[in-house]
Amino acid sequence: MITPPVVRRNTPQRYRLEANKCAKCGKVFFPPRLVCDACRGRKFAPVTLADTGKVVACTVIRTPPTGFSDLSPYCMGIVELKGGTRIQCQIADCEPERVKIGLPVTLEFRRVQEDGESGVLAYAYKAVPAR
Amino acid sequence: MAGIVGYGAYIPRYRIRVEEIAKVWGADAPSYKKGLMLREKSVPAPDQDTITIAVEAAKNALKRAAIPPAKIGAVYVGSESHPYAVKPTGTAVAEAIGAIPDCHCADLEFACKAGSESMFIAFSHVKSGEMEYAMGIGADTSQGAPGDALEYSASAGGAAFIMGTKDVVATLDVQYSFMTDTPDFWRREYMHYPRHGGRFTGDLAYFKHVRGGVEGILKKSKMKPKDFRYCVFHQPNGKFPTRMGKELGFTEEQYRAGLLVPTLGNTYSGASPIGLSAILDEAKPGDRILMCSFGSGAGSDAFIFTATARLPKIQGRARKTRDYLDTNPVYLEYGAYTKFRRKILKNVED
Amino acid sequence: MRDVAIIGIGMTDFGELWHDSLRDLFVKAALAAMDDAGIAHLDSMYVGCMTPGLFTGQEHIGSLLADYLGQAPVPATRVESACASGGLALRCGFFEVASGASDLVLCGGVEKMTDVSGGRATYALATAADQDYESFHGVTFPGLYAMIASAHMAKYGTKREDLARVAVKNHANGLLNPHAQYRMPVTVEQVLSSVKVADPLNILDCSPITDGAAAVILCPADKAKKLAKGRAVKILASAHATDTIALHQREDLTWLKSTAVAAEKAYKMAGLKPADVDFAEVHDCFTIAEICVTEALGVVKRGKGGEAVRSGYTARDGKFPVNPSGGLKSKGHPVGATGIAQVHEVVTQLRGEAGKRQLKKARRGLTQNMGGSGGSAVVHILEVMR
Ligand SMILES: [Zn+2]
């Protein structure tokens, strides 16, 4: 859903990769959580994720959901960032078929969705092959 | 002394060649290439716009400056392609780099001159002591109407400059602006593409105002063209800045580093700022740089910078402009280009 | 807790049923189940349905369906756990009967998916993924399972052809199922050359968009023998487990932890080992899913799911038949109905009423129904009552 409250609420994560880290066991959560699923701890410190990593799983989406047809076919991947946290995002600026597990990537700021012709724009991270 | 403490550029990966556009419109590619001194231009991906380009350039500037983003007191973005007609670009950039909320943001528009304007204003704040750091950005995903001469050049890219007074890498020594009200190029509200005055955009617009800016700043600074190691002028095509440089008494050695237009195209508000970033990528301490933008409407902002001993220390902290321009470009055919630029009429998606 | 048995089953044909509405589909399946059980009234009902709102614009379907089934004012509850909604509806009814609160409970599942465009259906299904951190970025369900496939192939050397063989096997089974949506044989070559959907998955690796409904009638086991005249089936175990719904947050992308945990609980509840079960109906929403599910159920060792289908171990005449009905792949996948349709097949096999696709050995069968990319799983073990 691309509505002003949803866009605003997700901004710290989508714009700046803000995560949190369990004060007790050190597990990092993206998005930040209120309770640690490893130790049930409830104290956290803010951390920012690294913007580089590598692809650990990927696919080429050829039947996109509504709102993504302009990009089709595009690559989706699971990226393990430096520090170990995994995120899911598009892998842009690539030949989708040539993306392989292990590919080093960096995150760039991109327009991910928009609410039709006149609604709000939603920006976030996408991975691109590291150069 | 006040000046630039960090700089960074961003150029999309996609390109389209002059031949590919000329083929569609039955135009004579060799004569266009020769006339415009332009071989290809950058094209934004469908998920790129002025905000995303400005953010990436800003992040590169921040990497070089290595300052806490919260200390940036202002973010100004100059562009003629702000993604929203109403809703700022600057706040998105400030939010993405972590400069919010103690920050002043404004979007500027002055055809191709909006980028240098943002630098001008950012510099004023730090020079006056009002702010510790301020950022000025010029970025565009410029549009040229299909079939128009501008379609061969209108491209995408941007550059960001953090101004400050501590750890300056290039002092901003002199500035001068030259303005008249000249309708050489415009886009009315709700129109998709800009219009222009054809050959009128040359002598009475570009050449008059760049000459005015350069001659004005030389007079104000009591300097001559030979006092500069580098110069960069607004570059709507390859021909205008080269002719201008020669007429003003500059040599190819001086403008070569900043002349990116043959393979970049005209990035409008980004054009002379990206040229400056490419110069800063290679300048050495003590090198003096003359920059002069041009914006239709019309006017120019001219600056004189001097590289400091700190510049070589930060050049390698972020990706260089030439690397963005020359590494792994992906060439588009006209069909993909029109899809990327949303020139295809589609059904509303269901 | 009382023992619980299934005394009646019913389902519609699965397919693109342009003339049937959501309520028509459900009522047809429910009436068939009630007729099969020989009962005219219910104490209560549960309906699994993933997203009637996005597929048809209709919510509040518990009451709607009870009314159109002529059973209002009985309590009627819609149960939702994405594609595991049907399995979970059965589990809810199971507890209502086991607790002694009710004697005759209908557990149904329904989904009417073809009233919307393909893009909207893709969007509706993707709401089962993490909306803010998966779907937002443009992933689809085929895309999520394709990423699981890419990880499985990289980790275990599973071959692209192994995925195709799941489709070949399940289509061969579905050919013999009169309710199946796609009753056609397919070859490995056909799967490999079919339209690409999300690499490495092609259209013939994917379950289809389907309309359909299924229902079963539960009652206490001690009353089942008389009511069902020797055709009753006992529910030996009902287990459910959850996992993070965001695929990227799982430690091992190839391991369906919710299925593994639910299966372990089910085996424990039934006092059985995987080897004590004769066959299974599992959630092959994509070919890779069946491979991962057979591993998580303990039917084969971790990483050996591809080998199991290659060697014929899971074929209808193999050592451990998987998806004799044709599975979601051939039979069709009306998401909310799937979990109940799996039970429909196991009961049919246990009763010995599966006709041409009847398994030789069918005393105990297992169903595994899965939500999203594995964020939830429901496992039931059923046994024929003597
Ligand atoms: Zn913890």
Side-chain angles (χ1 to χ4, degrees):
Chain A
M1 272 212 320
I2 307 304
T3 65
V6 175
V7 166
R8 178 60 217 168
R9 194 180 310 124
N10 285 291
T11 294
Q13 282 69 50
R14 291 181 182 162
Y15 282 37
R16 297 189 300 273
L17 297 168
E18 286 185 11
N20 70 359
K21 186 175 182 173
C22 175
K24 210 157 118 197
C25 76
K27 188 167 174 184
V28 173
F29 294 96
F30 182 77
R33 293 194 182 197
L34 299 172
V35 55
C36 173
D37 71 353
C39 75
R40 308 266 158 88
R42 294 190 195 183
K43 283 210 177 87
F44 292 87
V47 289
T48 302
L49 301 182
D51 63 359
T52 59
K54 62 175 201 300
V55 173
V56 296
C58 56
T59 182
V60 183
I61 305 284
R62 297 170 191 277
T63 53
T66 304
F68 289 86
S69 63
D70 273 357
L71 294 170
S72 183
Y74 55 91
C75 183
M76 276 295 305
I78 294 176
V79 172
E80 185 169 306
L81 299 171
K82 274 201 182 104
T85 304
R86 288 177 175 190
I87 60 166
Q88 197 175 127
C89 60
Q90 283 179 35
I91 300 166
D93 285 10
C94 62
E95 286 175 62
E97 292 89 353
R98 298 185 67 173
V99 174
K100 294 280 173 312
I101 289 172
L103 178 79
V105 291
T106 56
L107 301 187
E108 278 194 6
F109 194 71
R110 298 291 173 112
R111 187 195 284 194
V112 177
Q113 278 201 60
E114 52 194 79
D115 178 21
E117 287 279 298
S118 60
V120 289
L121 305 172
Y123 295 89
Y125 44 85
K126 286 189 184 182
V128 299
R131 283 179 260 213
Chain B
M1 212 166 153
I4 296 167
V5 300
Y7 69 94
Y10 183 85
I11 298 166
R13 196 180 165 192
Y14 296 97
R15 305 282 184 276
I16 188 164
R17 293 191 170 99
V18 165
E19 288 86 346
E20 186 62 27
I21 299 170
K23 188 171 79 187
V24 172
W25 301 108
D28 178 22
S31 67
Y32 261 101
K33 285 169 81 173
K34 200 170 154 223
L36 296 172
M37 291 173 68
L38 181 83
R39 299 198 296 276
E40 60 198 53
K41 66 167 188 172
S42 66
V43 179
D47 58 2
Q48 292 180 311
D49 59 25
T50 290
I51 288 179
T52 69
I53 290 169
V55 166
E56 287 302 316
K59 279 157 65 180
N60 282 336
L62 206 50
K63 277 182 197 162
R64 288 203 173 93
I67 56 163
K71 288 191 171 180
I72 296 173
V75 174
Y76 300 118
V77 186
S79 179
E80 61 96 72
S81 52
H82 292 288
Y84 287 97
V86 177
K87 197 219 152 283
T89 298
T91 49
V93 177
E95 183 85 45
I97 63 172
I100 46 96
D102 293 324
C103 186
H104 184 243
C105 292
D107 290 2
L108 305 164
E109 184 283 311
F110 190 144
C112 299
K113 195 181 77 68
S116 63
E117 252 158 44
S118 72
M119 296 164 67
F120 189 105
I121 299 170
F123 175 72
S124 303
H125 287 312
V126 299
K127 194 183 179 193
S128 72
E130 180 66 29
M131 292 173 188
E132 195 173 354
Y133 299 104
M135 184 183 273
I137 302 171
D140 255 312
T141 54
S142 38
Q143 288 272 14
D148 187 278
L150 281 179
E151 194 183 20
Y152 295 89
S153 59
S155 67
F161 300 86
I162 301 173
M163 303 294 183
T165 51
K166 268 193 310 229
D167 293 333
V168 170
V169 298
T171 56
L172 202 169
D173 311 324
V174 188
Q175 53 186 340
Y176 174 78
S177 293
F178 182 92
M179 310 278 145
T180 70
D181 190 51
T182 305
D184 59 315
F185 170 99
W186 62 92
R187 177 165 62 83
R188 295 265 302 274
E189 189 89 296
Y190 309 119
M191 295 293 114
H192 282 296
Y193 303 113
R195 288 181 58 182
H196 53 81
R199 291 188 58 78
F200 176 70
T201 60
D203 288 342
L204 284 179
Y206 180 86
F207 292 104
K208 174 180 169 179
H209 293 84
V210 176
R211 181 186 301 278
V214 173
E215 287 178 352
I217 203 165
L218 290 177
K219 189 176 167 199
K220 187 177 175 185
S221 64
K222 298 189 176 64
M223 289 189 208
K224 294 195 167 51
K226 67 171 171 47
D227 296 325
F228 297 90
R229 171 74 181 84
Y230 298 100
C231 68
V232 57
F233 306 136
H234 176 54
Q235 33 197 302
N237 51 55
K239 194 171 145 189
F240 278 24
T242 339
R243 183 182 133 194
M244 187 81 267
K246 281 176 188 150
E247 285 180 17
L248 290 166
F250 291 89
T251 64
E252 199 192 337
E253 284 70 54
Q254 288 168 300
Y255 60 69
R256 191 194 299 126
L259 189 70
L260 309 176
V261 64
T263 51
L264 174 59
N266 180 6
T267 53
Y268 286 40
S269 303
S272 49
I274 299 177
L276 175 64
S277 75
I279 290 170
L280 291 172
D281 278 340
E282 66 163 70
K284 294 188 174 55
D287 285 347
R288 200 171 281 142
I289 305 158
L290 172 69
M291 167 179 164
C292 186
S293 66
F294 168 70
S296 293
S300 62
D301 295 324
F303 304 95
I304 293 172
F305 299 99
T306 307
T308 71
R310 184 175 168 76
L311 180 62
K313 294 193 185 81
I314 71 155
Q315 283 166 333
R317 286 182 183 170
R319 205 167 153 206
K320 291 189 172 181
T321 303
R322 273 281 171 195
D323 188 47
Y324 275 111
L325 192 57
D326 300 339
T327 314
N328 298 326
V330 175
Y331 290 94
L332 299 175
E333 294 188 339
Y334 196 81
Y337 164 75
T338 53
K339 185 173 115 172
F340 275 31
R341 300 302 286 138
R342 301 190 176 200
K343 293 172 198 279
I344 299 175
L345 282 177
K346 301 186 305 175
N347 264 339
V348 174
E349 263 190 76
D350 183 37
Chain C
M1 283 213 314
R2 300 192 288 183
D3 281 343
V4 179
I6 296 170
I7 57 166
I9 58 172
M11 70 182 281
T12 63
D13 286 345
F14 279 7
E16 294 172 307
L17 308 176
W18 307 114
H19 298 293
D20 288 320
S21 65
L22 178 85
R23 66 189 83 176
D24 296 335
L25 291 169
F26 175 79
V27 171
K28 284 179 183 179
L31 288 178
M34 290 172 74
D35 289 350
D36 186 46
I39 61 167
H41 101 276
L42 303 170
D43 292 335
S44 163
M45 56 185 263
Y46 291 88
V47 186
C49 191
M50 177 181 157
T51 178
L54 288 175
F55 281 126
T56 69
Q58 181 70 59
E59 298 288 3
H60 203 180
I61 65 166
S63 298
L64 176 82
L65 301 180
D67 180 20
Y68 274 76
L69 187 58
Q71 296 292 325
V74 298
T77 308
R78 172 189 155 201
V79 177
E80 190 277 313
S81 189
C83 314
S85 301
L88 201 54
L90 176 62
R91 181 169 157 82
C92 293
F94 170 81
F95 281 120
E96 183 160 336
V97 176
S99 71
S102 295
D103 278 352
L104 289 173
V105 175
L106 180 142
C107 298
V110 61
E111 210 78 51
K112 176 70 194 173
M113 301 172 75
T114 60
D115 280 354
V116 296
S117 68
R120 294 228 170 253
T122 304
Y123 170 81
L125 291 169
T127 60
D130 187 322
Q131 191 62 209
D132 288 343
Y133 291 90
E134 294 186 303
S135 315
F136 170 74
H137 293 282
V139 78
T140 58
F141 261 93
L144 288 166
Y145 278 94
M147 286 194 277
I148 293 176
S150 77
H152 202 278
M153 290 161 87
K155 185 169 182 181
Y156 296 115
T158 303
K159 298 278 180 287
R160 176 63 186 89
E161 290 75 13
D162 295 336
L163 308 182
R165 285 185 184 98
V166 173
V168 172
K169 168 181 75 71
N170 291 350
H171 272 272
N173 293 348
L175 198 57
L176 306 176
N177 184 347
H179 293 301
Q181 181 173 8
Y182 286 108
R183 268 173 285 158
M184 59 180 197
V186 301
T187 63
V188 169
E189 292 68 34
Q190 281 172 325
V191 177
L192 297 184
S193 62
S194 62
V195 173
K196 291 177 177 187
V197 173
D199 306 5
L201 303 180
N202 295 351
I203 191 79
L204 286 176
D205 287 286
C206 307
S207 56
I209 300 277
T210 310
D211 300 324
V216 300
I217 308 293
L218 307 188
C219 83
D222 56 13
K223 296 184 181 161
K225 274 195 178 163
K226 205 174 90 193
L227 279 168
K229 302 179 189 77
R231 293 163 78 233
V233 163
K234 193 169 145 187
I235 300 176
L236 296 183
S238 173
H240 177 210
T242 55
D243 193 1
T244 175
I245 68 169
L247 179 62
H248 58 277
Q249 293 194 344
R250 304 207 190 122
E251 274 166 45
D252 182 347
L253 300 176
T254 66
W255 185 240
L256 296 169
K257 196 167 153 189
S258 61
T259 290
V261 171
E264 204 180 303
K265 285 161 88 178
Y267 293 132
K268 198 176 163 197
M269 186 172 174
L272 299 171
K273 300 185 296 296
D276 299 326
V277 177
D278 300 325
F279 69 103
E281 280 286 308
V282 309
H283 201 93
D284 60 326
C285 47
F286 300 92
T287 50
I288 181 63
E290 182 174 309
I291 288 174
C292 295
V293 168
T294 52
E295 295 173 18
L297 289 176
V299 171
V300 296
K301 287 209 178 79
R302 227 159 146 149
K304 301 288 184 192
E307 199 180 298
V309 64
R310 198 187 318 144
S311 67
Y313 187 80
T314 52
R316 203 169 67 250
D317 56 358
K319 197 122 190 284
F320 188 88
V322 172
N323 285 327
S325 71
L328 286 53
K329 182 69 218 50
S330 159
K331 187 177 54 188
H333 183 28
V335 284
T338 281
I340 300 294
Q342 292 177 324
V343 174
H344 186 284
E345 175 68 10
V346 170
V347 171
T348 304
Q349 292 283 354
L350 294 178
R351 285 174 173 178
E353 295 173 359
K356 284 184 183 166
R357 65 181 195 287
Q358 180 62 47
L359 301 172
K360 284 197 194 96
K361 193 176 166 199
R363 287 171 303 127
R364 286 192 204 106
L366 177 150
T367 61
Q368 179 267 353
N369 186 201
M370 184 156 61
S373 61
S376 60
V378 182
V379 172
H380 284 97
I381 300 176
L382 310 176
E383 184 180 61
V384 68
M385 286 179 78
R386 292 182 205 290

